[in-house]
């Protein structure tokens, strides 16, 4: 579990990345609107969205890494692009804290510490 000081640093860093979370939400919206047909044309669009999701989420993780230097930060990949949550493992001295950031609403984040 994160101590209160580290949690406040985490929260501050995530809030500073709000515009990136809004862009991730937009990627999820576009993924939700993809027209899945048998031609396979959507796969190119889906790959573009996956790369965009990875680039945005990596920027968030990089910023978090600069704020929480004592932690090893692991980004967990979502099963689908429509999922509007970022799952992160923070590892310090073999202790893992799992953080879920729900970005489903524009200009709003919900941060949950699972363990």
């Amino acid at each position: 579990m994160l101590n209160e000081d580290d949690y406040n640093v985490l929260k501050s860093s995530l809030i500073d990345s709000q515009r990136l979370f809004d862009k991730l939400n937009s990627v999820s919206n576009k993924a939700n609107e993809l027209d899945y047909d048998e031609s396979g044309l959507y796969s190119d669009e889906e790959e573009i969205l996956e790369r965009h999701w990875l680039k945005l989420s990596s920027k968030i993780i990089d910023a978090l890494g600069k704020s929480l230097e004592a932690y090893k930060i692991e980004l967990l990949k979502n099963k689908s692009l429509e999922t509007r949550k970022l799952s992160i493992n923070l590892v310090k001295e073999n202790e893992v804290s799992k953080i879920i950031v729900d970005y489903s609403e524009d200009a709003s984040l919900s941060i949950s510490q699972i363990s």
Side-chain angles (χ1 to χ4, degrees):
M1 295 292 272
L2 293 175
N3 64 39
E4 189 173 340
D5 290 337
D6 287 346
Y7 180 79
N8 288 331
V9 170
L10 168 85
K11 186 170 85 170
S12 178
S13 177
L14 294 175
I15 289 170
D16 289 345
S17 297
Q18 179 64 54
R19 68 177 183 78
L20 296 172
F21 281 106
D22 290 342
K23 289 181 180 183
L24 280 176
N25 199 15
S26 177
V27 169
S28 293
N29 288 337
K30 290 176 185 174
N32 197 33
E33 295 169 1
L34 275 180
D35 203 10
Y36 292 99
D37 58 16
E38 294 178 21
S39 68
L41 294 177
Y42 72 90
S43 66
D44 289 341
E45 293 174 42
E46 188 175 42
E47 288 174 8
I48 290 168
L49 291 174
E50 284 177 4
R51 285 194 305 270
H52 197 57
W53 182 91
L54 186 58
K55 184 176 182 179
L56 292 168
S57 57
S58 294
K59 286 182 179 183
I60 293 167
I61 297 303
D62 289 346
L64 197 54
K66 290 177 184 173
S67 299
L68 293 170
E69 294 176 348
Y71 288 85
K72 177 183 173 196
I73 301 170
E74 302 170 344
L75 172 65
L76 305 175
K77 192 165 191 296
N78 292 341
K79 292 181 182 175
S80 89
L81 289 173
E82 291 89 354
T83 304
R84 297 165 198 267
K85 294 181 180 178
L86 201 63
S87 300
I88 305 165
N89 281 341
L90 301 176
V91 183
K92 181 179 180 183
E93 299 172 2
N94 294 327
E95 185 176 315
V96 179
S97 298
K98 185 170 184 174
I99 307 295
I100 306 289
V101 183
D102 183 332
Y103 54 87
S104 58
E105 295 182 37
D106 283 335
S108 176
L109 297 176
S110 174
I111 305 167
S112 302
Q113 184 171 337
I114 306 301
S115 61

